[in-house]
Amino acid sequence: MKKTTKTILWIVAALIVAAVAIFLLTGKKDKQVLVYQVTTLEPTTISSSVTATGTVEPIKQVEVGTQVSGIIDKIYVDYNTVVKAGQLIAELDMSVLRTELESSRANLNSSKVEYDYQKKNYERIKSLYEKELVSATEFESAEYSWSKAKFAYSQAESNYTKAQKNIGYAKIYSPIDGVVLSRAVDEGQTVASGFSTPTLFTIANDLTAMQVIANVDEADIGAVKEGQRVEFEVDAFPEDTFNGTVTQVRLQATTTSNVVTYQVVINAPNPDLKLKPGLTANITIYTLDKHDVIAVPVRALRFTPEGEKYRENTVWKQLPEGKLEPVSVVTGVSDGVQTEILEGLQAGDRVVTGTKLVSANGKPDYKPGQQPQGGNNNPFMPRPPRNGDNKRTE
């Protein structure tokens, strides 16, 4: 008896489970309707940009060297020293240079004496030659000696002038107002001015006005123009955003590992001196940047209601009573997501961007994360509501 009762209970439980499964699988679904996706137009910003990396540099930077060889006798500046144009910043030992000056002066005096003697001798021989009292050979010899003395005297003058200038070069002055970025020598060090001028100091002009030299990829350089707005960041100040403007797009290309880039110069105001020479900047150049414009989503220009013929540069405006009206528009710039409307629409207008399925209770008929349908040209979609049907908008 107990076994029979237990069997009956198992059968009843199985029937209940089957009934619930059948109900869940065959239960009546909510009625589905197709509604329009509508957006209300408001003034917005349309922008597009390219990114690059670059280096912060002073706008004007001068390497100061020496034109004469010698030993550094005195240094009057150090790193970060603020200097003025014409300020004495270093001196070379002038003892050797003074000796060279004295030697060249003595040589000049000797050459002058020889020149004066040969000139007078030439004039005397010339006078006698014109009277046929000396031979042509003697006259030519006197002329030769005077010419040779004249050239020697001219060379001595040049050497003396050079020695005087070298004395002046021993004192090194700052060529610009600015800040000393680097000092490459110490007192007592010997510098030699051979074929290239040795660099003693590097001086930057004004650190409150910097520039960024950005390397822009060849695929993006076509959109970069002078005057475009720039934002950039540096790792030294990760929470700060710095602003600048494109001032130059250089034509010379640089190829590194088969990657072609072009240098773009960006001015970077630096009133608080946060930016330091050599910092790496992560740059955003706004190649398109328009504010307070009326724009529609790009898909609004592609939308066409069921049964209507596609019209270029036309959007469908929703009237207050819910009807749709085609509006021809004049378009402007586009960032690929939004398109500027120059004529045809104004702020507050409602335009259709697409359609989507929802159940009769107002819930969308797609799973979370699934994209709704952007148009109604899909043959597998239910037909949109017609006049007299249950049509809703949202």
Side-chain angles (χ1 to χ4, degrees):
M1 183 67 179
K2 292 182 179 180
K3 184 176 180 180
T4 303
T5 302
K6 188 175 181 180
T7 301
I8 293 173
L9 292 175
W10 276 108
I11 293 173
V12 171
L15 291 174
I16 294 174
V17 171
V20 171
I22 293 172
F23 177 79
L24 292 177
L25 294 174
T26 62
K28 184 179 179 181
K29 294 184 179 180
D30 291 336
K31 182 180 179 181
Q32 297 177 340
V33 295
L34 197 67
V35 299
Y36 296 124
Q37 292 178 295
V38 180
T39 183
T40 301
L41 303 185
E42 296 179 354
T44 186
T45 296
I46 296 181
S47 65
S48 59
S49 62
V50 299
T51 58
T53 59
T55 305
V56 178
E57 297 180 1
I59 292 179
K60 186 176 182 180
Q61 181 173 302
V62 178
E63 293 182 347
V64 182
T66 175
Q67 291 182 275
V68 295
S69 302
I71 298 174
I72 300 294
D73 188 26
K74 294 179 181 178
I75 294 178
Y76 301 106
V77 296
D78 203 349
Y79 292 91
N80 302 337
T81 300
V82 177
V83 295
K84 297 292 184 181
Q87 178 179 335
L88 181 64
I89 58 177
E91 286 185 65
L92 296 178
D93 180 17
M94 290 187 284
S95 59
V96 175
L97 297 176
R98 288 194 181 100
T99 300
E100 291 178 352
L101 179 62
E102 292 299 323
S103 176
S104 63
R105 181 184 291 116
N107 187 46
L108 175 63
N109 293 334
S110 175
S111 299
K112 179 68 167 55
V113 171
E114 179 68 16
Y115 169 75
D116 290 340
Y117 169 76
Q118 294 295 344
K119 181 180 179 181
K120 291 179 180 179
N121 185 59
Y122 166 74
E123 291 174 347
R124 184 173 63 253
I125 298 297
K126 180 181 179 183
S127 176
L128 293 174
Y129 176 72
E130 290 174 349
K131 297 177 182 179
E132 298 183 352
L133 297 176
V134 295
S135 65
T137 301
E138 288 180 283
F139 171 72
E140 292 172 356
S141 178
E143 185 180 31
Y144 168 76
S145 297
W146 175 63
S147 296
K148 187 176 179 181
K150 181 169 62 174
F151 292 137
Y153 177 54
S154 177
Q155 184 176 8
E157 281 185 317
S158 298
N159 291 337
Y160 179 68
T161 301
K162 180 180 178 181
Q164 283 183 312
K165 288 185 177 180
N166 286 344
I167 287 288
Y169 291 148
K171 292 187 176 183
I172 301 166
Y173 301 90
S174 173
I176 59 172
D177 294 341
V179 178
V180 177
L181 297 183
S182 68
R183 175 173 61 84
V185 292
D186 292 307
E187 292 182 357
Q189 185 173 339
T190 301
V191 292
S193 61
F195 294 102
S196 61
T197 301
T199 299
L200 308 183
F201 305 93
T202 301
I203 300 177
N205 187 4
D206 182 10
L207 295 185
T208 62
M210 304 286 278
Q211 66 181 6
V212 179
I213 307 299
N215 297 311
V216 178
D217 190 86
E218 62 176 327
D220 299 324
I221 195 64
V224 179
K225 302 289 187 297
E226 293 183 8
Q228 291 173 339
R229 183 172 69 90
V230 178
E231 291 182 353
F232 65 94
E233 299 176 350
V234 295
D235 292 340
F237 304 97
E239 297 182 358
D240 293 341
T241 299
F242 301 90
N243 298 291
T245 306
V246 175
T247 59
Q248 186 182 58
V249 180
R250 295 178 177 171
L251 301 179
Q252 177 65 45
T254 301
T255 303
T256 305
S257 299
N258 293 326
V259 177
V260 179
T261 58
Y262 291 83
Q263 288 190 334
V264 175
V265 182
I266 300 163
N267 77 322
N270 188 33
D272 51 7
L273 299 179
K274 283 187 175 181
L275 295 175
K276 295 174 173 54
L279 289 178
T280 298
N282 299 310
I283 302 157
T284 301
I285 303 174
Y286 289 91
T287 56
L288 173 61
D289 193 24
K290 299 192 71 172
H291 301 273
D292 295 327
V293 298
I294 299 301
V296 298
V298 172
R299 56 190 179 137
L301 292 164
R302 304 184 187 131
F303 171 76
T304 303
E306 181 73 21
E308 297 286 345
K309 186 178 180 181
Y310 173 76
R311 310 176 193 180
E312 190 174 2
N313 290 337
T314 298
V315 298
W316 289 83
K317 175 180 174 181
Q318 187 183 58
L319 302 178
E321 60 271 21
K323 294 183 179 179
L324 301 186
E325 177 186 61
V327 177
S328 296
V329 295
V330 178
T331 60
V333 297
S334 176
D335 61 1
V337 178
Q338 298 185 97
T339 298
E340 179 186 16
I341 301 299
L342 301 176
E343 296 180 12
L345 297 172
Q346 60 184 359
D349 288 343
R350 292 168 57 83
V351 298
V352 181
T353 60
T355 58
K356 65 179 178 180
L357 280 173
V358 298
S359 61
N361 60 13
K363 296 181 180 179
D365 191 29
Y366 52 85
K367 298 178 181 179
Q370 179 181 350
Q371 295 294 327
Q373 298 287 344
N376 61 348
N377 295 324
N378 189 335
F380 299 101
M381 288 182 59
R383 294 176 63 83
R386 301 180 182 275
N387 293 337
D389 291 348
N390 180 22
K391 177 172 68 177
R392 303 191 310 170
T393 60
E394 63 174 25

